[in-house]
Amino acid sequence: MMLDRILSDARIRSREAADRSAALVEAAKRSGPATGFASALAKPGLSVIAEVKRRSPSRGVLAAGLDAVDQAKIYADAGASAVSVLTEPLYFDGSLDDLVAVHDAVDIPVLRKDFMLEPAQVFEARAAGADAVLLIVAALGSDLLGQMLGAAAEARVDALVEVHDLSEAVVARAAGATVIGVNNRDLHSFSTDLGVAEELASTVQGDGITTVAESGIHTPDDASRMKDAGYDAILVGEALVVADNPAALLSDLAGRQ
């Protein structure tokens, strides 16, 4: 299965980071203070996390040769609350170099989006300029999720904890996640259904928790569904990178027409 292949390759990169753990921790400590990711999403209205994404396993090439910095600047100028940068190299054509470059180019928070499996990768993310990291419950399980959240706290970055179903949502809540994303994409079939976020809304929402709806959001009507379900933010990649006018679409998704 595709997810198994992605995670198998991700484990190789995670072990490489683990071998450099001490150096990465020191590099993260030398980084300046992170820009608050969670606080940036907590403003009134629907926030947009706009993603730099060249390809995906489900759709193949979306935007070959996409310049990460140029795209991120478009997002920031159009009012995005944060930028998500894919750093997975084999299936998404991303890199840590993209993350470094985007961090240096924009003033809004930057999320490292990857299949991260080692606490060392959290420090690696901060050293590269990430203000937040993606932690996928399906890839981590409850014990490792706890370790990763501890690393995020030590590295002074926020953690977007991603869930796909009720059992994962319960794990995220039990682990004390304060930013929870519901991914509408099935990680096995790669199909999307906005009903997933709607169904899990009452489980992930609560006092002190910022919620994000991810995947399958292409139109203002899609965004409105997520806002009506009570989500604070949406994460949008594919629709923006293939749009003729990503700035206009981003504004429409946020309801700022």
Side-chain angles (χ1 to χ4, degrees):
M1 295 171 61
M2 178 62 72
L3 178 60
D4 294 331
R5 293 200 296 272
I6 293 173
L7 290 177
S8 178
D9 291 320
R11 288 187 186 96
I12 296 172
R13 295 193 303 280
S14 71
R15 288 193 291 268
E16 292 171 349
D19 290 340
R20 298 183 291 118
S21 180
L24 291 172
V25 170
E26 287 304 312
K29 288 180 179 178
R30 291 194 298 270
S31 299
T35 303
F37 176 78
S39 59
L41 305 183
K43 65 183 182 182
L46 187 67
S47 297
V48 178
I49 306 167
E51 190 159 87
V52 175
K53 183 177 186 178
R54 296 187 181 94
R55 65 172 295 177
S56 74
S58 59
R59 294 293 302 275
V61 176
L62 299 170
L66 180 74
D67 186 285
V69 168
D70 288 347
Q71 192 76 5
K73 286 181 176 178
I74 290 171
Y75 294 157
D77 290 344
S81 295
V83 177
S84 170
V85 178
L86 264 300
T87 61
E88 199 287 327
L90 300 179
Y91 301 91
F92 293 88
D93 288 350
S95 72
L96 277 172
D97 289 341
D98 287 335
L99 180 64
V100 172
V102 169
H103 166 265
D104 291 343
V106 300
D107 294 327
I108 58 177
V110 179
L111 166 72
R112 179 187 183 181
K113 191 174 182 185
D114 207 329
F115 294 82
M116 298 169 59
L117 302 170
E118 283 282 348
Q121 291 176 290
V122 177
F123 295 98
E124 179 182 57
R126 181 62 200 135
D131 303 294
V133 293
L134 180 72
L135 304 180
I136 304 173
V137 174
L140 297 172
S142 58
D143 290 343
L144 186 50
L145 173 62
Q147 295 177 41
M148 299 290 274
L149 285 170
E154 186 178 348
R156 298 164 295 139
V157 297
D158 288 321
L160 172 57
V161 178
E162 180 178 288
V163 306
H164 300 81
D165 58 31
L166 179 60
S167 63
E168 292 176 8
V170 171
V171 168
R173 290 295 303 266
T178 56
V179 186
I180 302 178
V182 176
N183 195 334
N184 293 303
R185 188 180 306 281
D186 186 297
L187 286 182
H188 299 284
S189 69
F190 292 106
S191 62
T192 57
D193 177 4
L194 296 184
V196 174
E198 291 169 329
E199 182 179 350
L200 296 182
S202 62
T203 303
V204 298
Q205 291 164 2
D207 291 342
I209 297 177
T210 301
T211 54
V212 182
E214 309 171 31
S215 299
I217 301 162
H218 298 276
T219 68
D221 286 344
D222 295 336
S224 292
R225 281 182 63 179
M226 299 298 92
K227 183 179 180 181
D228 290 345
Y231 285 87
D232 300 300
I234 53 175
L235 191 155
V236 184
E238 180 180 319
L240 289 171
V241 298
V242 303
D244 292 333
N245 189 337
L249 177 58
L250 194 156
S251 183
D252 288 346
L253 291 171
R256 294 190 292 267
Q257 311 88 309

